[in-house]
Amino acid sequence: MDLLALADFNLVARHGGFGRAARAADRPKATLSRRVAELEASLGVRLFERGSHALKLTQEGRALFERTDTLLVELGEATSAVAAGGETPRGRLRISAPLLFSQTAMGKLSAQFAMRYPQVRLEVTTEDRPVDMVEEGYDLVIRVNPDPAEHLIGRILLRDRLVAVARPELQRPTAGASAPAVVRLSSNQSGWDLLTPEGEVRVAIDPILRLGSLIMIRDAVRTGIGAAVLPLSLVAGDLRSGALVQWGDGKGPPIEIWALYPSRRLLSVRVQAFLDFLKQAFPLGQPEELAAYIKG
């Protein structure tokens, strides 16, 4: 296969059209069109559906793009590294991270990583939705309790757990009574099942405040307006200082924060560098480490 033609095909697929690809690479549009046509002829398949106003990858074209785009990028990085005389991380690194982790840790992590690896251009987007890494061009995603069915591999960065907390003056209600509670907007809970030293208890709640983020909920609980169930890492400092007290652990699976990448992708030097950096930041992967990092 002609690697130059394959590279031109990936350029067009990445930019979604011959014109945009030609402008981005400062190449003649006719040359790109001819080389893609030659690649299609050599493979015996159509790689693009050419409409009057749009260019769309065929099923075969999408499969070829997904399997070769990253490899071509890594090939370019490898040759650049050899020419530069080493394996120094460089180039763009795109990461998607969830909202809470981004708000509490990614700003500091990103700045420290950028100072250590100045030749890497780090881009971090904040979103809780599942992203298509190949389609959207991400090198790494950080996710909380990811779907095991996803065709991704990676490693656990941190483990956390949920705890019910409140100001000391707000006592945990006895049976038959309910506690004023601050909950997420999407919550429809009528109570919390908590694990305490005395055993499992059910705490009925009266949701008096519904907020859109866990940080907002934590800040509201600090005022004494009600109780809430929050990640331990977010309130560990308040529990240590006595500003909040713990009513019990939330019943359910632990919180796991993963760093994920496609299983077919060979790790680039810059992705491996970021994974190693995260491991250094959270060597044990415990909630107390994230809490200390947030406080620091």
Side-chain angles (χ1 to χ4, degrees), residues 126-171:
T126 298
E127 49 202 342
D128 289 325
R129 68 177 179 87
V131 299
D132 188 316
M133 293 188 64
V134 175
E135 283 288 322
E136 299 178 53
Y138 286 107
D139 300 290
L140 187 75
V141 297
I142 298 173
R143 284 294 173 263
V144 179
N145 291 352
D147 184 352
E150 291 188 51
H151 301 296
L152 301 171
I153 59 174
R155 64 183 66 169
I156 296 178
L157 299 178
L158 290 159
R159 289 181 172 86
D160 209 340
R161 68 178 191 274
L162 294 173
V163 292
V165 296
R167 291 281 298 177
E169 55 268 25
L170 181 62
Q171 299 295 313

Side-chain angles (χ1 to χ4, degrees), residues 29 116 154 193:
K29 179 180 176 182
R116 184 177 299 183
D193 294 313

